[in-house]
Every structure is written in C-alpha cells, then in structure tokens.
C-alpha cells in the first residue's frame, strides 16, 4: 500500500478522494479547510440543539476562568498592538506598499472608507452609541464617583471611546496590515497561515497551516454570529417599540432569517456591486441620522463637546490603556466583575473579527502604503467614532439630566439595552419616523457585516480573491445566519449574556494568534532591504542599497530572496 505523503501531510489517495468530493459538489476551494471548518460548525450546531444546557454551562465556566486569570493579557495585548502600529507607520517601513512598488489603490478614498467602516463596527455603534455611555453614567466604573454626576458623564464618555475608538480599530488594523503585507508582497495564498511564513516557510501549506486557517474560519464565523445576534436584538426591540411586535426569541430568529436571506442576495452579487453599494447607502443613512440629532438637539453644547471630548479622550487614553482594575478584589465583591463584562468582553469579541476584517481590509487596500493603510484604517474610523459618541452619548446624558437622578433613557437601559436607542429618539421630533430609519440602518449594517464575512470566510478557504461559485458563498452566508439564530435560542431571554460567554471563550486562541502576527511582521519587515543615504549631485538622497527601488521606496525582497515587486 502506498503510504507516501506530500507537503500537505495526507496520502495521495486521500487527497484525490477529498478533491473529487469537492469537484462533484461544484466547489472551488481548499477541500480540507472547507470540509473541516464546515463539519466542525455543523457539529457544534447539532450538539447545541441537542444539549443546550451543558453547552451553556461549559461556556459560562470557561468565561469565568478566562476573565479572572487572563483579563490582564487582553488589556496589555491590545495596547501593545496600538503602540506597534503607530511605530511601524512612522518608521522607514511606512513607505512600503501592500503589493509591488508600482501597485496603486483600486478604490477611491470615500468607497474605501465606507466599506471598511460598514464591514467593521457599524452595527456596534448603533447598538452601543447610547447604551454604553448611559450604562457608565448610571453605574460608574470608577469607585467613589456619584452616578449621574458631571464626573460620571466624563468618565462614561472616556470609557466608551476607549472601548470603541483607537483600541478597537487597532485590533482590525494589525491583522489587516499583516495580511496585506505577506499576501501581496510575498505572493502567498489569501489565508491567515500566510502571515506566519517567516516562521513556518512551506509548512503553511501543510497540517499546521491548515489548522491555523480552520481556527481562523471558526473564530470569524462565531464572532460575526455574535454581532448579528446583538444587531437582531436591537432590530427586534425597535419593531416592538414601533409596531407593538413582542420582543421574543421567535421574533429575533425570524429577523435573522429574513436579513440572512437579504445578505445572501448581496453575497451572490459580489464585493464590487453588492457590498460597496450597500456600504455607501448604509453610511449615508447613518451620517444623516447623526446630523439630524446634532441639528435637532443641543447643537451648541455638542459642538463644544466635540473639542472638549477629544481632549478628554486623549488625556485619559494612557491611563485607561493600562488600567486593570487590580484593586477590585479589595473594593468589589466579584473582583474582575466590571472589566470582565466590558473591556475583556470587547477585546475577546472584537478579535474574533480580526481574521475577517484583516482579510477584508487587505483585499480592499492593495496598493496603499503601510503609512496610508495604518492612517486610514486606524485614524479615520476612530475619529468618526468620537464624533458619533459625542453626538449620541452626550445628547443622551443631557436628556437624562447631568447632575440629576436619572431619566427615561437610563430606565430603558436598565430594562433592556437594545431599547436604549429607541427610548433616546422619543425625545426628538418625528420620533416614529426616525426610529424606523434607525431600524433600517441597523438592518443594513447587519446585511453588510454578514455578506462581507461570508465572502471573507470563502476567501480563507479558497486562498485567493477570485469570485468562487455562488453556491459556495451562499453556504457560508446561510451558515453564519444559522449559528447566530442558534446562539439566540441558546440564550433565550438572556441572549446577551450567553453571547458574551461564547465569544470570550472563542476569542482567547484567536487573540493569541493575532498577537503572534506582531512578531511575524517584524521578521518580514526586517528582511526588507533598507535604504541608505548617498550623495546625488551634491545632495543627500535616500536610495536603496542595490539601487533598484522606485518612487523613493527601498527595493525589497521577501524571505525567499525574491524581489517583492515581482509578486504584484
């Protein structure tokens, strides 16, 4: 019997059997990655439906252990990534392009921004834009601060921006930079394992690389499913407020089903036609909603807060970036309680989006320099987030009464977090119309997140960005929707808590994998041929050591010794 194995670690006859199965199903993908990923997700769904109690208890126990023992690891990690990204953008490597030296961007700055933002945290800003500042305003995270006081309002805004501005986008920017650099400068497959080429070399095509890619697919699917679950909760709450529809598990599952079908239609159309158009429409509506609140609300107060909150955020950022609430065991009965439910949950949840957002950002950013990429992906959305929270967060706290004892929005958040946005709009003209538009915006964010994720998961399995068979992309869209619905059923009326438990456990291995990308990037960048200063016609000029660069950019070679520009 022939037992010879190739670089994939499988016997030739096994390879042929799996490839033949993929061919019969009309798939164009890496069979092992696709079938293992799909099989594990389907197995989880079956077990979840058969034994929801034990599964829920296991995730609850896992989340408790992680937040108690490794919360510091999440806090330290994301701050480290942010510092690293700032360094690499400002360093001499900032002029390197994600692609060959002659590569140029395929999308305009406006389309680029709307796609990365709508595929990123648009749903989250709609969900938490009012709810998070009000939550911290009502229950201050810092000991000794009076609820509803001016200090509580300032702290609430600082924590909200810490969670959803620069640090969140650092979690997306790091893998995006790593993917863009290694995929387009090294001519490697569009998979997470390609990032680790400096360490694994050709083993990225073997069992180790496949295992990394399968974990990335699973993490991406779970992370997006949690976000869709949150978005669905808000849509259901909005329908309840507008139409009197009961906010129940059944309604949420129905919402997921309908919007998954809408997203699947966009998936079939593809990136350029489907996602780009949905993203542009979505951002336009969201910006319109934000401007309405600015004009119809306390305009002068909000404009003053634009300036003051920017300074407040930047001044509090160093302290919050390293804050571990280490004295909580002496001041609070549950020790890690607050930060476990907020900061650690945010970082664990967001990092499960890292493979999805990283591949997506790399796909739409080919041709941009490292400095352009980091500046655009890190700074532009973070700036928009500050503006969004100033307008929605400060407006909500002002309506509830700063220096008072709380109001209707605080009561709504205490009753149901997804209701916060709609309780907020009740204080504005044409409340019903505006709330209806908000439901549409959340639904569109849902669709763009779902279809973007399905296309990226498909890329992770195929290893390239060419359009795959429609049935293949549709499968991933339906799978993500089914998982989101199952998690809603698992959590029941306490769905938000269940989603937090699942994502914290799933996020730990993905977080560690993303942390390793820092070292892979350093190894790759150090392999670049550095420029040196030479005299040209009596003036100092930066030139590559071998004199072969273009546009003032150093000539580069990948770790295999090939000129990087040859990979474009």
């Amino acid at each position: 019997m022939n037992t010879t194995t190739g670089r994939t670690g499988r016997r030739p006859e096994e390879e042929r059997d799996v490839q033949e199965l993929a061919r019969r199903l009309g798939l164009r993908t890496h069979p092992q990655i696709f079938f293992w990923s799909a099989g594990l997700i389907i197995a989880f769904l079956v077990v979840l439906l058969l034994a929801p109690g034990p599964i829920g208890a296991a995730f609850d126990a896992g989340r408790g252990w992680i937040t108690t023992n490794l919360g510091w690891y999440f806090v330290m990690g994301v701050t480290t990534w942010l510092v690293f990204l700032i360094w690499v953008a400002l360093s001499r490597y900032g002029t390197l392009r994600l692609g060959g030296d002659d590569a140029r961007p395929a999308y305009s700055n406006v389309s680029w921004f709307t796609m990365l933002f709508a595929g990123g945290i648009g749903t989250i800003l709609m969900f938490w834009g009012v709810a998070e500042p009000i939550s911290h305003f009502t229950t201050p995270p810092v000991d000794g601060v009076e609820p509803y006081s001016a200090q509580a309002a300032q702290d609430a805004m600082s924590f909200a921006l810490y969670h959803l501005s620069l640090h969140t986008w650092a979690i997306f920017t790091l893998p995006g930079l790593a993917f863009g650099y290694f995929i387009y400068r090294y001519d490697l497959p569009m998979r997470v394992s390609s990032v680790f080429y400096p360490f694994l070399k050709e083993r990225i095509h073997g069992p180790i690389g496949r295992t990394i890619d399968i974990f990335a697919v699973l993490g991406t699917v779970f992370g997006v499913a949690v976000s869709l679950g949150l978005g669905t909760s808000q849509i259901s709450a909005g329908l309840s407020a507008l139409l009197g529809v009961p906010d129940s598990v059944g309604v949420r599952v129905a919402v997921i089903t309908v919007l998954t079908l809408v997203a699947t239609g966009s998936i079939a159309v593809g990136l350029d036609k489907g996602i780009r158009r949905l993203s542009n429409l979505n951002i336009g509506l969201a910006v319109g909603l934000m401007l309405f609140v600015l004009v119809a609300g306390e305009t002068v107060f909000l404009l003053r807060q634009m300036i003051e909150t920017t300074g407040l955020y930047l001044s509090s950022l160093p302290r919050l970036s390293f804050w571990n609430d280490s004295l909580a065991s002496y001041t609070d009965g549950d020790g890690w309680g607050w930060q476990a439910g907020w900061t650690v949950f945010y970082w664990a949840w967001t990092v499960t989006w890292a493979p999805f957002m990283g591949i997506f950002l790399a796909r739409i950013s080919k041709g941009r320099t490292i400095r352009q990429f980091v500046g655009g992906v890190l700074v532009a959305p973070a700036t928009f987030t500050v503006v969004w929270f100033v307008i929605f967060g400060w407006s909500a706290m002002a309506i509830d009464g700063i220096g008072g004892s709380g109001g209707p929005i605080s009561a709504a958040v205490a009753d149901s977090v997804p209701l916060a946005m709609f309780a907020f709009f009740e204080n504005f003209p044409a409340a019903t119309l505006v709330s209806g538009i908000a439901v549409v915006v959340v639904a569109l964010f849902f669709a763009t997140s779902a279809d973007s994720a399905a296309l990226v998961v498909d890329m992770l399995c195929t290893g390239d960005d060419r359009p795959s068979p429609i049935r293949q992309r549709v499968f991933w869209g339906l799978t993500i929707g089914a998982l989101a619905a199952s998690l809603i059923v698992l959590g029941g009326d306490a769905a938000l808590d269940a989603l937090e438990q699942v994502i914290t456990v799933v996020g730990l291995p993905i977080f560690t994998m993303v942390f390793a990308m820092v070292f892979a990037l350093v190894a790759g960048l150090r392999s670049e041929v550095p420029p040196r200063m030479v005299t040209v016609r009596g003036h100092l000029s930066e030139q590559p050591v071998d004199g072969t660069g273009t546009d003032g950019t150093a000539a580069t070679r990948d770790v295999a010794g090939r000129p990087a520009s040859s990979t474009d």
Side-chain angles (χ1 to χ4, degrees):
M1 180 177 180
N2 183 8
T3 59
T4 303
T5 59
R7 70 177 184 179
T8 62
R10 298 177 65 90
R11 291 191 295 270
E13 59 269 25
E14 292 177 347
E15 292 282 356
R16 287 194 296 270
D17 291 343
V18 176
Q19 291 172 358
E20 177 62 20
L21 176 60
R23 188 190 66 79
R24 290 181 178 180
L25 293 175
L27 306 178
R28 185 182 61 78
T29 186
H30 190 294
Q32 287 78 29
I33 297 174
F34 179 89
F35 287 123
W36 269 103
S37 299
L40 289 172
I41 292 171
I42 293 172
F44 176 81
L45 288 173
V46 172
V47 173
L48 183 61
L49 294 175
L50 294 177
I55 293 294
F59 277 112
D60 185 29
R63 179 204 181 195
W65 185 89
I66 290 171
T67 55
T68 300
N69 296 283
L70 294 174
W72 61 269
Y73 173 57
F74 285 90
V75 173
M76 176 200 69
V78 180
T79 296
T80 301
W81 303 348
L82 178 60
V83 173
F84 170 76
L85 288 167
I86 294 172
W87 168 79
V88 76
L90 298 178
S91 72
R92 59 189 172 89
Y93 301 115
T95 56
L96 296 177
R97 292 191 177 275
L98 304 182
D101 293 335
D102 296 327
R104 292 297 181 270
Y107 300 101
S108 69
N109 288 336
V110 174
S111 291
W112 182 54
F113 173 74
T114 57
M115 282 193 289
L116 70 89
F117 184 80
I121 60 171
T123 303
I124 311 311
L125 290 187
M126 289 294 296
F127 190 89
W128 291 114
V130 170
E132 178 162 357
I134 287 291
S135 296
H136 304 331
F137 182 53
T138 304
T139 309
V142 180
D143 291 326
V145 176
E146 288 294 323
Y148 309 111
S149 65
Q151 184 61 54
Q154 290 183 326
D155 287 350
M157 189 57 60
S158 295
F159 275 100
L161 292 176
Y162 165 54
H163 286 151
L164 290 165
S165 191
L166 285 172
H167 276 70
T168 281
W169 283 94
I171 297 175
F172 296 152
T173 306
L174 174 60
L177 176 60
F179 294 143
Y181 177 79
F182 286 104
I183 290 170
Y184 292 126
R185 290 189 74 82
Y186 283 56
D187 196 22
L188 293 172
M190 190 167 281
R191 298 195 186 104
V192 176
S193 57
S194 295
V195 173
F196 302 102
Y197 185 83
F199 308 137
L200 299 177
K201 298 297 191 292
E202 295 303 316
R203 285 177 293 175
I204 64 171
H205 304 292
I208 297 177
R210 286 201 306 271
T211 301
I212 291 173
D213 294 324
I214 290 169
F215 268 113
V217 170
L218 296 178
T220 299
V221 170
F222 273 93
V224 175
V226 168
S227 296
L228 300 187
L230 294 177
T232 298
S233 298
Q234 191 173 35
I235 294 171
S236 179
L239 294 175
S240 177
L242 292 171
L243 306 176
V245 177
D247 185 9
S248 63
V249 172
V251 171
R252 295 173 190 172
V253 172
V255 169
I256 285 182
T257 302
V258 172
L259 291 181
T260 296
L261 294 177
V262 173
T264 302
S266 177
I267 292 166
V269 174
L271 178 64
D272 290 333
K273 294 182 180 179
I275 296 177
R276 185 176 63 181
R277 291 174 181 174
L278 271 180
S279 299
N280 290 339
L281 173 62
N282 205 11
I283 290 298
L285 288 174
V287 170
L289 204 61
M290 184 177 66
L291 293 177
F292 167 78
V293 175
L294 174 64
V295 173
E298 299 188 40
T299 307
V300 175
F301 170 72
L302 295 176
L303 292 176
R304 294 172 67 184
Q305 280 295 346
M306 291 282 185
I307 301 171
E308 188 170 326
T309 300
T310 300
L312 178 68
Y313 170 53
L314 294 177
S315 64
S316 64
L317 189 59
R319 176 177 62 87
L320 295 180
S321 296
F322 297 95
W323 184 63
N324 269 273
D325 202 13
S326 57
L327 294 177
S329 59
Y330 299 96
T331 60
D332 300 326
D334 55 359
W336 266 90
W338 187 90
Q339 211 168 30
W342 287 98
T343 307
V344 177
F345 161 65
Y346 267 138
W347 297 166
W349 172 23
T350 307
V351 83
T352 58
W353 280 56
F356 150 48
M357 280 299 292
I359 291 289
F360 182 68
L361 292 173
R363 167 68 176 79
I364 65 176
S365 303
K366 182 180 180 181
R368 297 185 184 272
T369 66
I370 289 177
R371 190 166 297 145
Q372 290 172 341
F373 180 85
V374 173
V377 179
L378 187 62
V379 178
T383 302
F384 184 89
T385 301
V386 171
V387 175
W388 183 276
F389 269 99
V390 165
I391 292 176
F392 284 92
W394 276 114
S395 294
M397 290 187 288
I399 291 170
D400 248 23
I402 298 174
S405 57
I409 303 177
S410 298
V413 171
D415 181 54
S416 173
V417 172
L419 280 173
M421 182 69 75
F422 304 103
F424 171 73
F425 284 132
E426 289 178 2
N427 297 276
F428 290 85
T432 302
L433 174 62
V434 175
S435 294
I437 294 174
V439 171
V440 172
V441 171
V442 175
L444 287 176
F445 273 129
F446 181 114
T448 52
S449 295
D451 58 13
S452 299
L455 287 175
V456 167
V457 168
D458 190 52
M459 291 179 193
L460 290 174
C461 293
T462 61
D464 61 50
D465 57 1
R466 292 176 298 164
S468 61
I470 292 178
R471 71 184 69 182
Q472 196 169 302
R473 288 175 276 160
V474 167
F475 169 80
W476 288 117
L478 296 177
T479 298
I480 291 171
L483 182 58
S486 299
L487 293 176
I488 289 290
V489 172
L490 170 66
D493 293 332
L496 183 58
D497 289 337
L499 295 176
E500 290 183 6
Q501 293 164 4
V502 171
I503 211 59
T504 303
V505 175
V506 173
L508 179 60
I510 305 296
F511 193 92
T512 302
M513 181 180 69
V514 174
F515 212 136
M517 292 181 183
V518 172
F519 303 99
L521 264 173
V522 170
L525 291 172
R526 290 182 65 181
S527 72
E528 299 281 350
V529 178
R532 62 180 174 85
M533 301 304 295
V534 298
T535 300
V536 179
R537 296 181 181 177
H539 299 281
L540 283 177
S541 176
E542 191 178 69
Q543 297 289 340
V545 171
D546 61 3
T548 59
T550 61
D551 299 330
T553 304
T556 59
R557 296 180 182 276
D558 65 21
V559 293
R562 300 168 301 195
S565 59
S566 67
T567 66
D568 183 38

